[in-house]
Amino acid sequence: MFGNAALTMVNIWATWCPSCIDELPNIQQLYSAYYGRVQVVTILEDASAQTDSALQILNELGVTVPVIRCNKSVRAAFGAHADLTMLPVTFFVDSNGHILKTVYNAQSYDKWCSIINGLL
């Protein structure tokens, strides 16, 4: 998954998290602005119970960023590096799968650009 880009942004969110939902348009903007340079994906933390709600939220906001359904292996991989109960949480991963940076809380589009540009 990470070998396709020098930098991958992985944003973990949930349908019960208002700041996660508020941030999705910024994530979409990043997906478009950095397309081809940065891989942007999201992980739906509560995917097992809330897939329909998530699809409705994504459709209403016009979000087309790839969404991965969270499962045990995803929780194990990222949960070893951060508290996944504190959402949203975003990881920046290099092409070798190493986590370069972890960011808690929603950020503005400009703040995300500053972080990404600093990692490129």
Side-chain angles (χ1 to χ4, degrees):
M1 172 179 167
F2 304 114
N4 297 333
L7 184 67
T8 299
M9 178 183 186
V10 180
N11 175 265
I12 302 179
W13 66 288
T15 59
W16 50 261
C17 172
S19 61
C20 296
I21 295 167
D22 290 345
E23 182 178 52
L24 286 172
N26 291 338
I27 303 297
Q28 177 64 42
Q29 222 178 336
L30 293 166
Y31 176 70
S32 299
Y34 287 91
Y35 189 82
R37 293 188 297 153
V38 177
Q39 180 173 238
V40 178
V41 298
T42 66
I43 296 175
L44 177 60
E45 196 281 333
D46 58 346
S48 61
Q50 299 299 328
T51 303
D52 290 342
S53 295
L55 289 173
Q56 182 179 355
I57 291 165
L58 295 168
N59 287 335
E60 286 175 5
L61 295 175
V63 174
T64 61
V65 176
V67 179
I68 298 168
R69 296 175 69 173
C70 196
N71 59 33
K72 289 179 186 177
S73 62
V74 170
R75 279 190 189 90
F78 289 105
H81 302 281
D83 182 354
L84 298 185
T85 64
M86 297 176 57
L87 298 179
V89 61
T90 301
F91 300 91
F92 289 92
V93 184
D94 70 13
S95 60
N96 295 313
H98 299 116
I99 295 174
L100 303 175
K101 187 171 187 70
T102 302
V103 180
Y104 288 99
N105 300 317
Q107 306 295 318
S108 69
Y109 174 77
D110 290 337
K111 178 65 176 175
W112 282 130
C113 288
S114 175
I115 291 169
I116 290 169
N117 291 336
L119 292 170
L120 287 175

